[in-house]
Amino acid sequence: MMKLISNSVFLEHDTGQHPENKRRLEVIDQVDMIPINLDGSEYLPLVHEQKLIDLVQDAARNAPCWLDGDTMVSSGTYQAAIDAVSCTLIAADLGDFALVRPPGHHSYRDHVSGFCLFNNLAIAVESLRREGKRIFILDFDGHLGDGTLYFFYDTDQVMFWSLHQFPAFPGMGRNSEIGGHRGKGFSVNVPLPPGSSDDIFLHAFKSYFPLIEQFSPDVIAVSAGFDAHRYDPLLQLNLTVDAYYEIGNMLRNQCDRIFAVLEGGYNLEMLPKCVHNFVAGINGIPKPYEEGISTSMRSTWEQYDIDLHLGISYLSPYWKF
Ligand SMILES: [Zn+2]
């Protein structure tokens, strides 16, 4: 059974009124508060350059300050960011869902971006990759997980699949970006037009889903962001809590080992419902919350269809659809 795990240290990343604030974790119930008995700082160099690690540490000493227009640092940020890595490593080990902040999927080897400092998921996945594991990353946050995408772009040992609004921040993630070198065919970008609802999202999900079985991973790692929900303030996707249950339910039984880490999701009323629905789907228990499947406009479907056929044409030399 996948459990929600967290620690109060993540509230010490104090961003005030920023959309990515500590209330996001405080509103989620039924969470196991676990001790962080592992030093995440030892794992940072798996993904990040020392100058980035030093930058975040120095920023926390001089807090509050901003590392870019979106990304804020408080005095408790460095420890929270280290422990977010630790908690993600623990979740990867136990098959749990790490409720952490700051989030990670926009963070690169050498720079922070989009509320993200250290790339929690990429660090856990890189650690598993070096053990010889094959890892399938699913990033269903409404934004592209660009930091993660480009970190694993050239490897065939990790498959990265992102569904995201396009156009939107960070601006990349076209379906022509399928990986490079040995990793060609192992990056799967599924851009979704603004206005895409459950029907389109789940159609896209089912269309690319056979790649998981063909890749045959040892571990599935989920960048679980919930800002594609229709009431989320940052994007124009229209998912309901039902879609997150479906995603969890479809992933169940795909692999013996699945873990997840929190990325975005900024509507404080809907975020807990999305999280609990996803986990209920993974665990194969009844859906705790229901809104009713949302439907997209015809013009949105038309744009989506063009993108879908193009995306499949780029990847069909490598995989069966
Ligand atoms: Zn996001």
Side-chain angles (χ1 to χ4, degrees):
M1 293 283 275
M2 177 180 275
K3 296 188 309 295
L4 298 173
I5 60 171
S6 193
N7 186 283
S8 59
V9 69
F10 306 127
L11 309 180
E12 303 300 320
H13 172 48
D14 184 1
T15 54
Q17 300 299 310
H18 194 287
E20 198 296 291
N21 62 65
K22 64 179 182 177
R23 291 286 298 147
R24 297 179 62 236
L25 294 188
E26 288 174 336
V27 294
I28 303 176
D29 62 346
Q30 300 170 52
V31 179
D32 283 7
M33 301 303 266
I34 61 154
I36 304 292
N37 50 11
L38 181 157
D39 183 2
S41 68
E42 291 173 10
Y43 295 81
L44 296 178
L46 288 176
V47 166
H48 296 295
E49 292 181 5
Q50 190 60 40
K51 69 169 188 185
L52 173 74
I53 301 167
D54 294 343
L55 176 83
V56 176
Q57 192 165 21
D58 289 346
R61 287 198 193 105
N62 299 311
C65 62
W66 294 79
L67 291 177
D68 66 21
D70 301 318
T71 313
M72 195 189 153
V73 170
S74 73
S75 59
T77 292
Y78 182 70
Q79 194 57 50
I82 295 284
D83 287 343
V85 171
S86 314
C87 189
T88 305
L89 289 160
I90 293 169
D93 200 37
L94 301 175
D96 284 336
F97 187 149
L99 290 175
V100 301
R101 49 185 296 280
H105 71 157
H106 296 303
S107 173
Y108 287 72
R109 202 183 282 275
D110 62 347
H111 68 277
V112 306
S113 169
F115 320 160
C116 298
L117 297 168
F118 302 135
N119 195 322
N120 307 310
L121 182 113
I123 293 167
V125 169
E126 177 62 8
S127 173
L128 291 165
R129 192 191 70 78
R130 293 193 187 192
E131 289 172 17
K133 299 276 195 305
R134 289 165 65 77
I135 308 100
F136 188 97
I137 300 173
L138 166 63
D139 186 326
F140 62 72
D141 186 278
H143 300 94
L144 168 68
D146 49 330
T148 314
L149 166 68
Y150 296 121
F151 186 79
F152 296 110
Y153 205 67
D154 293 333
T155 177
D156 58 4
Q157 216 181 313
V158 175
M159 188 161 197
F160 173 84
W161 176 24
S162 173
L163 303 104
H164 46 265
Q165 179 175 323
F166 188 90
F169 179 88
M172 296 79 88
R174 292 172 192 274
N175 46 22
S176 55
E177 294 187 70
I178 61 164
H181 304 283
R182 291 170 67 100
K184 230 173 186 181
F186 291 82
S187 291
V188 180
N189 283 289
V190 182
L192 300 170
S196 295
S197 302
D198 288 344
D199 50 357
I200 285 182
F201 193 92
L202 292 173
H203 187 275
F205 199 74
K206 286 170 186 158
S207 301
Y208 289 89
F209 198 76
L211 301 192
I212 301 181
E213 200 178 336
Q214 291 171 60
F215 179 69
S216 178
D218 301 307
V219 184
I220 295 179
V222 185
S223 256
F226 299 92
D227 44 19
H229 189 275
R230 59 180 170 174
Y231 299 142
D232 195 274
L234 264 54
L235 286 167
Q236 294 78 46
L237 294 172
N238 291 326
L239 267 56
T240 67
V241 295
D242 301 81
Y244 295 110
Y245 183 81
E246 285 305 313
I247 295 169
N249 198 35
M250 283 186 69
L251 282 178
R252 188 160 53 95
N253 305 330
Q254 282 304 306
C255 185
D256 292 340
R257 197 167 163 194
I258 303 179
F259 73 96
V261 59
L262 183 66
E263 303 287 358
Y266 306 99
N267 180 302
L268 296 176
E269 191 194 336
M270 301 316 295
L271 177 60
K273 296 179 179 176
C274 294
V275 167
H276 285 301
N277 264 22
F278 169 68
V279 174
I282 290 264
N283 289 336
I285 61 174
K287 197 191 290 189
Y289 300 100
E290 236 171 307
E291 288 180 83
I293 294 284
S294 58
T295 54
S296 313
M297 294 195 322
R298 189 188 182 92
S299 56
T300 314
W301 267 104
E302 285 166 1
Q303 181 59 51
Y304 163 72
D305 269 332
I306 294 168
D307 293 336
L308 177 72
H309 288 110
L310 205 56
I312 288 175
S313 76
Y314 287 124
L315 286 164
S316 51
Y318 307 93
W319 309 101
K320 287 194 202 72
F321 285 88

